[in-house]
Amino acid sequence: MALSGMRGLSVFISDIRNCQNKEQERLRVDKELGNIRTKFKNDKGVSHYEKKKYVWKMLYIFMLGYDVEFGHMEAVSLISAPKYPEKQVGYIVTSCLLNENHDFLRLAINTVRNDIIGRNETFQCLALTLVGNIGGREFSESLAPDVQKLLMSSSCRPLVRKKAALCLLRLFRKNPDVVNADGWSDRMTQLLDERDLGVLTSSMSLLVALVANNHEAYWSCVPKCVKILERLARNQDVPQEYTYYGIPSPWLQVKAMRALQYFPNIEDPNTRKSLFEVLQRILMGTDVVKNVNKNNASHAVLFEALALVMHLDAEKEMMSQCVALLGKFIAVREPNIRYLGLENMTRMLMVTDVQDIIKRHQAQIITSLKDPDISIRRRALDLLYGMCDVSNAKEIVEELLQYLSTADFAMREELSLKAAILAEKFAPDLSWYVDVILQLIDKAGDFVSDDIWFRVVQFVTNNEDLQPYAAVKAREYLDKTAIHETMVKVSAYILGEFGHLLARRPGCSPKELFNIIHEKLPTVSISTIAILLSTYAKILMHMEHPDPELQNQIWAVFHKYESSIDAEIQQRAVEYLALSKKGADLADILAEMPKFPERQSALIKKAEDTEVDTAEQSAIKLRAQQQTSSALVVTDQQPANGTPPVGPLTLVKIPSTSTTGDEQSRQRALSQSNGIVAEVDSQQATSSPDLLGDLLGPLAIEGPPVTPLQSEHGLVSGAEDTSAIDYALALAPVDEQTNTVQPIGNIAERFQSLCLKDSGVLYEDPNIQIGIKADWRGHHGRMVLFLGNKNVGPLESVQAVILPPTHLKLELSQVPGTIPPRAQVQCPLEIVNLRPSRDVAVLDFSYKFGSSMVNVKLRIPAVLNKFMQIMTVSPEEFFPQWRSLSGPPLKLQEVVRGVKPMSLIEMANLFNSYHMMVCPGLDPNPNNLVACTTFYSESTRAMLCLMRIETDPADRTQLRMTVASGDPALTFELKEIVKELLVAMPASSQAPPLHAQPTSPVADLTDPGAMLAGLM
C-alpha cells in the first residue's frame, strides 16, 4: 500500500516534468487539485495515510508556485497522527502553507504542546521546529515555559536542546515578555558553560537577541563569552564536525564577538586582557588563501573581530595592525575581500590615531577607485573622502577630478559634491578652490548641484583679491565652443559683477564680454536667461564711457523679452529697460552685491552630519531594524534641547521678514540686481530641519520647500504651464480637510511638483514631514514614503491606508503605529500600472500628537506620465507607424480652442517635461510639432504613442492635435491630458498660481537662477 501511494506521487511528479509548456503543466495541476479536493470533500473516512499522500502532492504543487487554497485543515490534522510519517508530513506542510496569523494554527497548539512535553524526542524536534519557524504571539504565551524547561533540562539530548534554544529565540522576538531578564541572567550564564557546541551556538544566538534588547542584566555572560572564544581560538575540545575548513566553529566565534559588541566596555582587566589575546591571535592567523569557502569563514571571523576591536577602542598598536591587515586585503584580486577591506578601513577612520597609517595605502585606494565593481568604487570614494586632510587634499581632489570624466553616471553627483566639499574644507588658497570648482562644473555640469556654484559666488563676492582672478577664469571658460549651462550661469554672474575689473585686458571690453555671453543665450533655459538679463544690465551700469551701439544691442534684447510668456523674464526685461534709461542713477540702483555674512558652509555642515558610524552604532541599528518591522526607522542623533538644530540641507538661511539697515539694502539690491527674492513663510523659516536626509541621498542639497517645475528633460515655461496639472493628473477627489494642525506650504503645489520629479516633500506640518522618493521602470514603480517626526515627543496612532484607483495595483509595507521622537520611518510602496488612466491613488494618513488627532488625504504622484519613457524616432520609423494607426479609436483628432499662447519652443519644453519627446524635422511645416513617447502598463506592455500638434501662427489660442497609439483607452487618455495641459482654464477654476506675487516670485529649487537669492 505504501509503495502504491508513493508511486502515485512519483507518477504525478513525472507527469509535471514531462509537460511541454506552462499550459500543459497548469492543466495537469488543476486536474490533480480537483481530484484532491473531491477526496477531501466526499470521502469522510479518509485515513491518515491517504491524507499524507494527498498533502504531499499539495506541498509539491505549492512549491511549483501555484496557490493551494484548500486542504489546510487536513494538513494541520496530520499533526495529531500517532505515527511519525504522517506527523512529519503534517508539521512540514503546515510550516510551509500557513503563517503565524492563520486561524487553523490555534487548533494545533494543544497537540504541539503535548509533543513538546512528551517523551518522544523525535516528536519534540518536529514540534520545536514548527514553533521556531511560524510561532506567533499566541504560541509564545502558551509554550514558552515548556520550551524553557526543555532548554535547561539536563536529561534532554543536545539535539532537542539546541532546537529549544532557537524556538525560544523565535518566541522572544514575538513577545519579549516571555523571557524575564532578571530571572534569565543566571540561566544564560549556565547555558554558556555547555560543552556541546551545537547547544552553545544556538544559545549564543539567543544571547545576542537578549543583550540587544537589554544588556545590563547580562554582564555575567561577558567572561563566559571570552572563555568560549579562548576555547575556540586554541581549538580545545572542538569536535571534527564543528570544524569548517580547519576553523573551529566560525559561526559560534562570530556570534560571541557580536554579543560582546552590545556591552559598552569591558572593565575587568583580566577579561579584557584575555579577549585582546584572542583578538590578536585572530588578526595574526588570518590570511587570504585560494580556497573560497575557507576564505569566507575566516574572513567572517576576522571582520567581526575588527568590529569588536574598534568597539573596544583598543591600543594603538593593535589598531595599526588592523590597518596593515586591511591594507593587504584591499590589494587582493578577490572583489568581496577588497570591498570588506575598504569598508572596514573607512570605519577605522573614526579612530584618529590611525589616519596617518591609512594614508600609506592611498595609492592602492585610488586604484580601487577605478575598479570594475561599482560597489568597490563607492567604498573607495567614501574612504578617500574620509581620509582627506590638508596634507593630501590637493592630490586627492585632483584624482577625483580626473576620475570624474570616466565615472559612472550613478556616482557623478556624489563624486562632484564630495570633491567640492574637500576643495572648500582643505583649500591651500582660494584661487585653487575656484579652479577646482570651475573644473568640476566643466567636467560634470549635469551632476553639480546648484549649491556648489552658489558657494563659489559667495567666496568671490567676499574676497576682493579673488574677484579679478575669478573673472579671468570665467572669461576663459566662455571661450570654449561647448560649455555646460551651469558654467554659463556662474561665468555670466561673475562677469556681470566683476567683469569691469578686466576692462583693460584684451578681449574683456564691455562689448566683447556682452558678445561672448550673448552667444550662449539661444541654447540656455529660462532660468539662465534670467541671469543673463541681469548680467547685461550690470554691463551697462559698469561702462565707463557710453557705447551707443552696445546700449542699443542690450536694449533690443530687453525689448525682445518684454512680451515673454514667462512672468519672471518679462518682469526683468521691463524693469531693466526702464532702469537702464535713468542714466547716472543706474549705478546706485544696480550697485555691487554686498558681502555675504560669515557663516558655516552648508556643504561642510552636510559633511559633518554624514560622518561614518562606529561599528557599534552600525551593528546595533541594523539589528534593531531587522527585529522590529518591515519599515525602516532611522533616529535623529541630534540633541533635543529645545533649540532647532541647524539643518544640513540649506546652503544659506533665508532672511527673516524683519530686517533693518544693511540687510534691507542688501535685499533691495538683490531684487534689482539679481531680480529674485526668496520668500518663505515665517513659520517655515523657523521650523525644525528637514528630517528626510535619506530622501535625497547621502550628500544631496535641499532648501526650503518650494514648487519646482523643471524636469531633467525640459523646462516648463512659467508658472501657468503647470497650473493645469492638478486637473490633468489628479482627478481623484480629496475631501475638505479640517484639522487643528495646519499644513506648511500648499499641498496641491507639492503634488504638482512631484508629478514632474521623483523626490521631494509631499506634505508637512509642524509635527511631521512626509517625503517621497520614487523609481520608475516600465510599468513597475517603487516609491518610498519617508515619515519624519519633527518633535521631541512620539507620534502615536499612526495609520496609512492607500486608496487605489482600479488601474493601479499598490502594496504598502506595514507602517508602525508609533514614530519615535525625531525619527524617520521609511515605508516602501510597490506600484504596478495595469492600464492607462488619469486617476490617482490617495493616501489616507492620520496620527495623534498630544491631544491633537490629524487626518489628511494626499494624492500619490503615481500619474500617467510616470509610466512614460522618452524616445526618439527617425522618419523611417515614425511614418509607417503613423500610417498604420488609421482613424478612431486608435487615432483621435480634435481642434482645441482657448489654448494658452506660447511659442513652439515653450510648447516643446512643456511636452518634454511630461516625457513626450518632441522630434524636430519630422513635420515639414515649421509651425507644427511632432512628439512621441513609450507608455508602459501591464495590459499594453511597451506601446508607442505618437502625436502631432498643428498651430496657427496668426492665432496662438487654437490648434489641432492628433494622438495615436495601439490602444483605444491610451489614445483617449493621452489626448485628454495633452488637451488639459494646453488649454488656458478660466481664472475661477485654475489651481493656485505657483508664483503668487509677480513682483517677488517664490524661489524654486529646480530653478538655479532663482535659488541664487538664497545665497544672500
Side-chain angles (χ1 to χ4, degrees):
M1 182 176 177
L3 195 61
S4 64
M6 290 304 101
R7 184 180 298 119
L9 177 61
S10 299
V11 169
F12 174 61
I13 293 173
S14 298
D15 290 347
I16 293 294
R17 290 177 174 174
N18 291 332
C19 290
Q20 299 297 316
N21 51 52
K22 190 70 176 177
E23 189 60 33
Q24 286 185 12
E25 180 183 294
R26 178 175 290 279
L27 290 173
R28 182 66 182 91
V29 167
D30 289 343
K31 177 182 177 181
E32 193 64 37
L33 285 175
N35 180 46
I36 297 172
R37 189 192 296 270
T38 302
K39 290 289 184 183
F40 285 162
K41 184 182 294 184
N42 299 332
D43 298 343
K44 300 298 182 181
V46 178
S47 66
H48 284 311
Y49 171 75
E50 290 175 317
K51 281 184 183 178
K52 179 190 75 169
K53 179 176 63 174
Y54 296 131
V55 167
W56 267 134
K57 290 183 179 181
M58 285 168 48
L59 178 60
Y60 181 71
I61 292 171
F62 177 77
M63 291 170 63
L64 289 175
Y66 296 94
D67 291 332
V68 179
E69 299 172 348
F70 68 94
H72 299 164
M73 188 62 205
E74 282 73 13
V76 172
S77 67
L78 284 175
I79 293 177
S80 58
K83 295 183 180 179
Y84 174 77
E86 288 81 11
K87 187 181 286 287
Q88 178 197 33
V89 176
Y91 274 116
I92 292 175
V93 177
T94 300
S95 297
C96 294
L97 295 185
L98 306 186
N99 60 46
E100 63 182 81
N101 299 317
H102 204 288
D103 291 337
F104 283 168
L105 275 183
R106 297 174 183 169
L107 305 176
I109 289 181
N110 289 333
T111 305
V112 172
R113 183 174 184 273
N114 291 334
D115 285 339
I116 288 177
I117 63 178
R119 295 292 183 180
N120 190 317
E121 289 183 346
T122 307
F123 291 178
Q124 284 178 329
C125 290
L126 288 174
L128 291 170
T129 302
L130 172 78
V131 178
N133 282 324
I134 61 171
R137 194 173 184 89
E138 289 190 22
F139 274 87
S140 65
E141 294 169 353
S142 304
L143 304 179
D146 299 314
V147 176
Q148 292 176 16
K149 287 179 184 177
L150 277 183
L151 176 59
M152 302 306 300
S153 173
S154 58
S155 61
C156 287
R157 287 204 304 161
L159 175 67
V160 178
R161 294 181 64 204
K162 68 182 181 182
K163 289 184 179 292
L166 296 177
C167 181
L168 185 59
L169 172 61
R170 167 81 182 198
L171 299 180
F172 172 75
R173 286 174 173 169
K174 293 300 173 183
N175 183 9
D177 295 335
V178 300
V179 177
N180 188 333
D182 296 332
W184 257 89
S185 177
D186 295 337
R187 295 186 187 181
M188 202 68 240
T189 306
Q190 180 183 343
L191 283 173
L192 296 183
D193 287 328
E194 179 66 42
R195 303 305 297 173
D196 185 274
L197 291 187
V199 177
L200 201 53
T201 304
S202 301
S203 301
M204 194 63 73
S205 298
L206 177 61
L207 176 64
V208 170
L210 294 174
V211 296
N213 187 59
N214 175 20
H215 71 275
E216 291 292 342
Y218 297 96
W219 277 102
S220 58
C221 296
V222 171
K224 300 291 185 182
C225 291
V226 175
K227 286 185 179 179
I228 292 171
L229 288 172
E230 284 186 291
R231 171 187 171 187
L232 296 175
R234 296 190 174 95
N235 204 357
Q236 294 177 343
D237 191 22
V238 179
Q240 185 64 35
E241 60 268 24
Y242 286 98
T243 302
Y244 184 78
Y245 287 90
I247 303 168
S249 190
W251 308 276
L252 180 55
Q253 293 188 57
V254 168
K255 290 177 187 293
M257 287 186 283
R258 186 164 296 176
L260 290 173
Q261 290 177 60
Y262 286 99
F263 295 92
N265 207 339
I266 299 177
E267 301 294 342
D268 182 58
N270 294 328
T271 304
R272 186 178 176 90
K273 180 182 177 182
S274 300
L275 177 58
F276 277 123
E277 288 177 356
V278 172
L279 295 175
Q280 182 75 22
R281 184 187 293 265
I282 293 173
L283 296 177
M284 295 293 293
T286 305
D287 206 348
V288 180
V289 296
K290 291 184 178 180
N291 190 297
V292 176
N293 293 326
K294 183 172 183 178
N295 272 339
N296 289 339
S298 62
H299 291 144
V301 175
L302 173 66
F303 288 115
E304 203 67 44
L306 288 172
L308 185 54
V309 168
M310 288 185 276
H311 170 71
L312 297 175
D313 195 15
E315 292 78 8
K316 183 176 180 180
E317 184 179 349
M318 181 171 282
M319 290 291 188
S320 302
Q321 187 178 348
C322 292
V323 175
L325 188 60
L326 293 173
K328 292 181 182 178
F329 286 167
I330 65 175
V332 301
R333 295 181 59 184
E334 173 60 39
N336 292 334
I337 298 175
R338 287 204 307 281
Y339 178 91
L340 291 170
L342 291 166
E343 182 183 44
N344 281 272
M345 196 174 278
T346 304
R347 291 187 177 187
M348 290 291 248
L349 282 170
M350 295 300 293
V351 185
T352 56
D353 291 342
V354 299
Q355 286 188 352
D356 291 338
I357 306 172
I358 292 178
K359 288 179 187 175
R360 299 174 189 170
H361 306 281
Q362 181 173 313
Q364 185 59 47
I365 298 169
I366 290 174
T367 303
S368 298
L369 199 61
K370 303 173 176 109
D371 194 275
D373 190 329
I374 189 173
S375 59
I376 293 178
R377 296 197 295 272
R378 286 188 181 277
R379 296 290 76 77
L381 174 60
D382 291 341
L383 182 52
L384 282 173
Y385 175 74
M387 65 187 285
C388 187
D389 59 19
V390 178
S391 64
N392 59 2
K394 226 171 179 181
E395 184 180 353
I396 289 179
V397 171
E398 287 173 2
E399 286 290 343
L400 295 182
L401 288 175
Q402 183 179 352
Y403 173 58
L404 193 57
S405 302
T406 57
D408 299 78
F409 289 110
M411 288 183 62
R412 289 193 184 185
E413 184 173 358
E414 180 184 358
L415 184 62
S416 60
L417 187 55
K418 288 186 173 180
I421 292 172
L422 294 179
E424 178 181 341
K425 201 172 182 180
F426 305 112
D429 57 77
L430 291 179
S431 60
W432 178 81
Y433 170 74
V434 171
D435 286 340
V436 169
I437 300 303
L438 293 181
Q439 286 184 58
L440 202 60
I441 296 172
D442 185 46
K443 292 185 176 183
D446 286 329
F447 304 93
V448 175
S449 65
D450 293 326
D451 296 82
I452 294 175
W453 77 269
F454 294 166
R455 190 63 176 162
V456 175
V457 171
Q458 283 187 1
F459 273 115
V460 175
T461 303
N462 286 7
N463 295 273
E464 293 183 8
D465 296 340
L466 190 61
Q467 291 167 3
Y469 180 80
V472 169
K473 298 302 292 185
R475 175 66 180 82
E476 290 176 0
Y477 276 101
L478 284 177
D479 282 331
K480 291 191 173 184
T481 53
I483 62 173
H484 192 270
E485 187 170 334
T486 305
M487 182 64 76
V488 176
K489 293 177 184 178
V490 67
S491 298
Y493 183 89
I494 291 175
L495 290 174
E497 290 291 330
F498 313 113
H500 63 283
L501 301 176
L502 310 180
R504 302 185 184 280
R505 290 175 176 263
C508 295
S509 66
K511 186 171 185 179
E512 289 170 314
L513 291 180
F514 169 77
N515 289 334
I516 192 69
I517 295 172
H518 195 56
E519 286 178 4
K520 315 298 180 186
L521 187 137
T523 62
V524 298
S525 63
I526 297 290
S527 61
T528 308
I529 292 175
I531 296 177
L532 297 189
L533 293 181
S534 299
T535 300
Y536 298 162
K538 291 277 187 174
I539 291 175
L540 276 180
M541 184 267 290
H542 284 302
M543 282 195 303
E544 295 180 2
H545 306 289
D547 184 344
E549 183 182 354
L550 175 59
Q551 191 176 58
N552 290 332
Q553 283 182 292
I554 295 177
W555 284 354
V557 176
F558 291 158
H559 275 301
K560 175 183 176 183
Y561 287 101
E562 273 185 320
S563 58
S564 171
I565 193 172
D566 184 270
E568 173 64 30
I569 300 298
Q570 184 186 89
Q571 180 183 344
R572 288 187 187 229
V574 170
E575 291 183 1
Y576 289 155
L577 182 60
L579 290 172
S580 63
K581 295 180 179 180
K582 289 187 176 292
D585 294 338
L586 184 63
D588 295 330
I589 298 171
L590 296 181
E592 254 184 44
M593 297 298 290
K595 289 187 177 181
F596 296 94
E598 293 298 329
R599 56 172 67 90
Q600 184 184 15
S601 165
L603 299 181
I604 294 180
K605 182 66 172 66
K606 181 67 178 177
E608 293 172 355
D609 290 342
T610 54
E611 292 290 350
V612 182
D613 286 343
T614 61
E616 174 192 16
Q617 290 170 333
S618 298
I620 292 177
K621 282 181 184 178
L622 178 61
R623 287 162 205 145
Q625 292 158 10
Q626 290 172 344
Q627 294 173 11
T628 52
S629 109
S630 59
L632 179 64
V633 179
V634 183
T635 302
D636 186 3
Q637 299 297 325
Q638 298 177 0
N641 56 7
T643 303
V646 179
L649 302 176
T650 53
L651 178 67
V652 177
K653 289 290 183 185
I654 302 300
S656 63
T657 54
S658 59
T659 55
T660 58
D662 293 339
E663 187 68 17
Q664 288 181 343
S665 65
R666 186 173 62 79
Q667 290 194 17
R668 281 198 301 271
L670 238 175
S671 63
Q672 295 163 352
S673 174
N674 196 39
I676 297 173
V677 174
E679 180 179 83
V680 292
D681 188 288
S682 59
Q683 180 182 12
Q684 172 75 14
T686 58
S687 64
S688 298
D690 192 347
L691 294 176
L692 304 185
D694 291 339
L695 176 63
L696 297 178
L699 283 171
I701 304 300
E702 273 192 19
V706 286
T707 53
L709 296 177
Q710 182 178 358
S711 76
E712 62 178 325
H713 301 296
L715 179 72
V716 181
S717 294
E720 295 179 358
D721 286 341
T722 54
S723 61
I725 188 172
D726 189 28
Y727 305 91
L729 297 176
L731 302 183
V734 178
D735 298 336
E736 288 292 327
Q737 301 166 17
T738 57
N739 293 311
T740 57
V741 176
Q742 294 302 313
I744 297 173
N746 189 303
I747 297 177
E749 290 180 7
R750 293 187 187 276
F751 171 78
Q752 294 166 9
S753 171
L754 288 169
C755 288
L756 293 180
K757 62 177 191 170
D758 293 333
S759 63
V761 178
L762 179 67
Y763 171 82
E764 184 173 9
D765 63 30
N767 301 325
I768 194 167
Q769 187 181 59
I770 303 177
I772 280 181
K773 185 173 184 180
D775 181 34
W776 308 94
R777 299 185 181 180
H779 66 286
H780 290 275
R782 177 179 172 81
M783 186 179 290
V784 180
L785 300 180
F786 294 77
L787 312 179
N789 182 356
K790 300 164 59 176
N791 289 304
V792 294
L795 300 182
E796 300 174 336
S797 303
V798 179
Q799 290 187 349
V801 178
I802 298 290
L803 309 175
T806 56
H807 75 285
L808 291 180
K809 179 181 177 183
L810 300 104
E811 183 177 348
L812 179 66
S813 71
Q814 181 180 357
V815 177
T818 301
I819 303 179
R822 302 201 60 77
Q824 180 193 88
V825 176
Q826 301 177 18
C827 303
L829 172 63
E830 301 294 336
I831 304 170
V832 179
N833 185 28
L834 304 178
R835 58 185 176 276
S837 174
R838 289 170 294 145
D839 296 339
V840 294
V842 174
L843 170 66
D844 188 350
F845 182 80
S846 61
Y847 70 89
K848 183 179 181 182
F849 180 72
S851 60
S852 300
M853 190 70 191
V854 181
N855 177 252
V856 292
K857 293 181 175 61
L858 306 168
R859 288 163 294 188
I860 301 295
V863 290
L864 192 74
N865 61 298
K866 298 293 186 180
F867 303 103
M868 295 180 186
Q869 286 188 9
I870 282 182
M871 66 169 297
T872 56
V873 296
S874 63
E876 294 77 14
E877 298 168 322
F878 177 84
F879 289 110
Q881 291 282 350
W882 183 258
R883 296 188 191 99
S884 66
L885 301 170
S886 57
L890 298 182
K891 182 184 286 186
L892 300 177
Q893 190 174 87
E894 183 175 347
V895 175
V896 182
R897 293 181 174 84
V899 175
K900 292 176 291 187
M902 66 180 80
S903 67
L904 288 179
I905 295 177
E906 291 165 340
M907 191 180 294
N909 287 335
L910 178 60
F911 285 155
N912 290 342
S913 68
Y914 279 86
H915 297 179
M916 305 175 208
M917 185 66 182
V918 173
C919 304
L922 284 181
D923 197 309
N925 189 334
N927 295 313
N928 298 344
L929 291 180
V930 173
C932 60
T933 187
T934 303
F935 177 78
Y936 292 86
S937 71
E938 196 171 81
S939 61
T940 63
R941 296 299 172 183
M943 180 158 288
L944 181 65
C945 307
L946 309 172
M947 66 191 72
R948 184 187 188 200
I949 307 294
E950 300 169 84
T951 66
D952 182 359
D955 185 1
R956 289 290 184 184
T957 63
Q958 66 176 357
L959 53 80
R960 182 170 66 179
M961 67 174 177
T962 309
V963 180
S965 76
D967 180 72
L970 175 58
T971 302
F972 175 78
E973 296 289 350
L974 196 59
K975 178 181 75 72
E976 291 302 308
I977 191 174
V978 172
K979 178 180 176 181
E980 290 173 343
L981 286 175
L982 296 174
V983 171
M985 291 173 294
S988 60
S989 64
Q990 280 188 0
L994 300 181
H995 296 289
Q997 301 178 10
T999 58
S1000 180
V1002 177
D1004 188 342
L1005 266 183
T1006 60
D1007 182 349
M1011 272 302 293
L1012 192 57
L1015 283 170
M1016 308 307 169

